[in-house]
Amino acid sequence: NHYSSSRLRTYGDRISRISSSYTTLSGARSFASFNAQYPPQQPNSMGGGGFGGQPVTAIPQHTDLRPLPTPVNLGLHMVPERTAYVVERFGKYLTTLTPGLHILIPIVDRIAYVHSLKEEAITVPSQTAVTKDNVAVHIDGVLYVRITDAQKASYGVSDVRWAIVQLAQTTMRSELGKLSLDRTFAERETLNTSIVAQINDATQGWGLECLRYEIRDITPPTNVRVAMELQAEAERRKRANILESEGEKQAEINRAEGQKGATIALAEGDAASILAKAHATAEGIRSVAEACGEEGASSAASIKLAEQYLEGWAQLARKGTTVIVPANAADPASVVGTATALYGALGGEKKESSFFSLQKEK
C-alpha cells in the first residue's frame, strides 16, 4: 500500500508537470494565432486632446473582452481568480468553471472559451457627430465594462468588443443629436449617464455590464472654436464692465452717504451752538434783571448805558467812511445826559406798566 501510494504520487506529479507544459505550449500557440487574427489597436489619429488637436494614443488593451487563449484539456485544470472557463461536451455547452481546481474528461470535454471577469477599459474611437444646432464635432470616449455571465458572453455575440464599441458609437451619436453644442459641453455627466443606461438595456443578452462611460474629447470645427473663443472673450469683457459699473455705483452711494452724514453733523453742531447761545443770553438777561432789582442798580445801569453809547459812536467812526454824529457832538455831557434820559424813560415806562398790571390784578 505504501509503495502504491508513492507511485501514485509520483505519477500525479509527472502528470501535473506534463499538463502544465502542454498548457503553456498550447496557450502560447493559441495566443500567437489570436494576435494574428485580432491585431493590437493602433493609436487614434482622428485628433483629440481638447481644443489643442493633439493626437490621442489608445489605451493598451490586454483582453479587450475577447476570449482568452484556451488551454488543452489534460484532465486537471486550475482556474485562476476572476476567470471563467466555458466547457463544452461533444460540442454542447456543459458548464462554466469557477476559480479553483477542476477535473475534466480528456477528449470528451473541451474548454471552448476563457473569459476574464475583471473590469476592462475600452477606447471608443473618435467619430463625427452632428449636434442639434447642426454643428459637426469629433468626439471620443472610454467605456468601462465587465463580463457578468461567461455563457452569454460566449454564445450571445460573436465579437463582444466590436459589438460594444459599435453600440457605444451609435448611442453617442444619437444622444449628441438631442443637444446643442453649448449644452454638450455643459451636460457631459448627463450625456454619460444616458449612454450607460442605453448600453445596459441593449446588452442584457450579452452577459456583460457597462459600469460607466466617459467622454474624453469633444473637438468642434476650427471656425466654431474661433467663434466660441470670441464669445468667451466678449462675456469676460461684459462681466468686467458690469463689475466696474457696480463699483462706481457703490462709490457714489458711499460718497453721498458721507456727505449726508457730514451735513447732518454740521446742522446738529449749528443747532447745538444756537441753543447754547440762547441759553447763555437768557441766563445773562436773567442775571441783569436780578441785578436791576438791587439798590443803586439804576445809577450803574445809566453809567453802563452811557459807556456803550459812546463806544458805539466810536465804532462807527472807526469802521465806516460815513460818520453819523449827533447834533451836539461837541458836548459829551449832553450826550451822556441823553443816554441817561433814555434809560430813565424806559425805566419809567416799565414802572408804569408794572403799576398798571398790579392795579389790574387787584
Side-chain angles (χ1 to χ4, degrees):
N1 292 336
H2 178 71
Y3 178 72
S4 300
S5 300
S6 300
R7 293 188 64 184
L8 286 175
R9 284 196 297 271
T10 303
Y11 288 152
D13 294 341
R14 290 179 180 178
I15 290 174
S16 299
R17 287 195 295 271
I18 293 172
S19 176
S20 300
S21 300
Y22 273 104
T23 300
T24 303
L25 180 60
S26 176
R29 291 175 179 175
S30 301
F31 192 72
S33 61
F34 176 79
N35 283 338
Q37 184 179 359
Y38 301 107
Q41 187 178 4
Q42 297 298 323
N44 185 3
S45 60
M46 294 295 293
F51 287 162
Q54 298 297 327
V56 178
T57 303
I59 301 174
Q61 304 294 331
H62 300 288
T63 59
D64 286 343
L65 296 180
R66 298 189 181 98
L68 297 173
T70 57
V72 178
N73 181 17
L74 297 178
L76 188 65
H77 291 278
M78 181 73 68
V79 180
E81 184 66 29
R82 303 296 297 172
T83 306
Y85 286 7
V86 177
V87 180
E88 295 179 351
R89 177 170 291 179
F90 298 114
K92 182 180 179 180
Y93 171 76
L94 176 64
T95 184
T96 300
L97 302 182
T98 57
L101 184 63
H102 299 274
I103 298 176
L104 299 177
I105 301 175
I107 301 175
V108 176
D109 297 335
R110 182 177 71 92
I111 300 177
Y113 301 96
V114 176
H115 294 285
S116 174
L117 304 182
K118 299 177 183 178
E119 181 179 347
E120 302 291 342
I122 301 176
T123 301
V124 179
S126 178
Q127 62 175 334
T128 301
V130 180
T131 61
K132 186 177 180 180
D133 48 355
N134 297 324
V135 178
V137 297
H138 293 280
I139 184 170
D140 61 355
V142 181
L143 191 65
Y144 297 87
V145 297
R146 67 179 177 184
I147 294 177
T148 57
D149 191 330
Q151 180 184 358
K152 292 182 179 180
S154 301
Y155 303 104
V157 62
S158 59
D159 190 340
V160 64
R161 181 190 180 279
W162 184 85
I164 195 70
V165 168
Q166 296 303 312
L167 182 60
Q169 287 184 327
T170 55
T171 305
M172 187 193 307
R173 285 195 297 267
S174 175
E175 292 296 321
L176 200 63
K178 302 176 183 178
L179 302 174
S180 61
L181 182 61
D182 294 336
R183 292 184 58 195
T184 300
F185 290 102
E187 298 184 9
R188 280 196 176 193
E189 190 65 28
T190 304
L191 192 60
N192 293 338
T193 304
S194 178
I195 292 174
V196 169
Q198 294 197 28
I199 290 177
N200 284 330
D201 291 340
T203 58
Q204 291 181 357
W206 296 354
L208 57 89
E209 178 187 8
C210 179
L211 301 177
R212 60 190 179 276
Y213 179 83
E214 297 293 339
I215 296 177
R216 188 164 57 184
D217 295 314
I218 300 177
T219 308
T222 305
N223 56 345
V224 176
R225 281 205 309 271
V226 173
M228 292 176 64
E229 291 174 359
L230 293 177
Q231 180 182 359
E233 181 65 23
E235 188 67 25
R236 285 192 292 268
R237 287 198 301 267
K238 173 184 174 182
R239 289 198 298 267
N241 293 333
I242 291 175
L243 291 176
E244 184 178 359
S245 63
E246 289 290 338
E248 294 177 354
K249 174 184 175 182
Q250 191 62 38
E252 292 293 336
I253 292 174
N254 292 338
R255 281 193 289 267
E257 291 290 339
Q259 292 177 359
K260 175 183 175 182
T263 303
I264 292 175
L266 289 175
E268 290 177 352
D270 293 341
S273 176
I274 293 171
L275 185 60
K277 289 179 180 179
H279 283 298
T281 303
E283 187 65 28
I285 293 172
R286 190 178 298 111
S287 299
V288 170
E290 291 177 357
C292 287
E294 298 178 359
E295 185 179 358
S298 299
S299 300
S302 300
I303 296 172
K304 185 65 176 175
L305 183 60
E307 291 179 355
Q308 292 180 355
Y309 184 77
L310 294 176
E311 185 178 355
W313 284 114
Q315 292 294 333
L316 287 175
R318 185 181 302 115
K319 293 182 178 180
T321 56
T322 302
V323 181
I324 301 174
V325 296
N328 52 355
D331 189 4
S334 64
V335 174
V336 174
T338 302
T340 305
L342 180 60
Y343 175 77
L346 292 174
E349 291 178 358
K350 181 177 179 182
K351 289 179 181 180
E352 184 179 358
S353 61
S354 300
F355 175 76
F356 282 117
S357 63
L358 181 62
Q359 291 296 329
K360 186 176 180 180
E361 291 176 358
K362 289 181 178 181

